[in-house]
Amino acid sequence: MSILEDARALAESGPVCDACLGRAFAERSFGLTNAERGKSLRVAAALDDDEPYEAVETEDCWVCEGACAEFDEWAERCAEAIEDVEVETYQVGTRAPPLVEENELLLREGAGLPEDAGELFKSEFNREVGKRVGRLTGTEVDFTRPDVQFLLDIEADTVEAQLNSAFVYGRYRKLARDIPQTEWPCRECDGSGYKGKEPCDYCGGSGYLYEDSVEGFVAPVVTDVMDGVDAKFHGAGREDVDALMLGTGRPFVVEIMEPRRRTIDVEQLEGDINAMADGEIEVEGLRLATYDMVERVKKLDASKEYRAAVEFDDDVTDEELQAALDELTGATIEQYTPHRVDHRRASITRTRHVYDATGDLEDARHATVEVHGEGGLYIKELVSGDEGRTNPSLAGILDTGAVVTALDVIAVEGEDEPFEDDEFFKD
């Protein structure tokens, strides 16, 4: 059958609006709306048959039941839903009424067309409403991860505007010990602060094992500035609670849920966070980032540099220390899950590499050691040996007990490329 014969067959089923008629031929030609296709076919058929042209009012269409006349109304409702929200990109999704979807199948079946001919009603609705939303709000469509996703439920007559997260990247330095990276709920009361009706003795009723955290200093400030409802803190690994994080700091991303503001002064934000932290931590290099930066921070292979204060059980000479450090430099280390983390880590043997190890004696029982190693290398156990669970170790090579009394992380950098790549930033 020709396209005009197909159009006639569709039109004979009853009053079919131009959009529903043209939608069956959505793959034909370009630069036309389905309504323009439908009207053109109706006119062409009337000319070919030398019959009067008879328009069909969209409100009378038995297929969409008049829904294709409501594109402007739905777009205006979308714009109203984000009237006080800052967004740059959007996407529209439609939940079509089951009856309309069934009518579409009946329309094509009655005309002898494949059930997937053209495009679906909801695809057209998404596009036509979406074009109007863009014009009304001055935003651009984004089919990957837009700032806002609209869901139009035609049968329920509702518009849902889902604000996607915004992301702020930076690096933090932790300048005080006994501060965890993220909030640490009390394990005795599960973060409630209560055991039964009484305040929890273990955490003093706070619900947390530590009063402060890097997350606690950073996330609330960013949430407030971006007018979000909640936040998640994503770090490129984490240092021990009792370790400092110095040097260029550790990369992190703060994810802000449902932000109403996205254009912010990151330099001002940096100053606000540092003022709030009052010397406990510092942040720098804040930038607005993309969703993909979260995965990059979490999964990019990174090496770490550490400085450790070490205490020995027996006297050690400088020559012995230097020889031991030389032996560790370039070594492949096998570490069975350390005692101190075996309650939260799988019991396996991990293989990690030491790139460089240097150090100086302060006296016969004390030294400062610096280690550059592969990510995931347990430094305290590299020094102590962890009762033979780490091999080789500084203690094992020196044949004396050794323990880290203070640990500082002085660098966290990508193994093969830096964390900071313009591809992952929005500014």
Side-chain angles (χ1 to χ4, degrees), residues 255-269:
E255 176 182 355
I256 303 300
M257 272 70 83
E258 299 182 38
R260 300 179 69 84
R261 292 186 59 203
R262 293 175 186 268
T263 303
I264 60 173
D265 185 335
V266 291
E267 292 184 0
Q268 179 65 49
L269 176 61

Side-chain angles (χ1 to χ4, degrees), residues 123-138:
S123 297
E124 178 178 20
F125 217 89
N126 292 344
R127 182 179 62 257
E128 293 300 327
V129 174
K131 289 190 298 185
R132 291 161 171 79
V133 169
R135 290 195 295 267
L136 287 171
T137 61

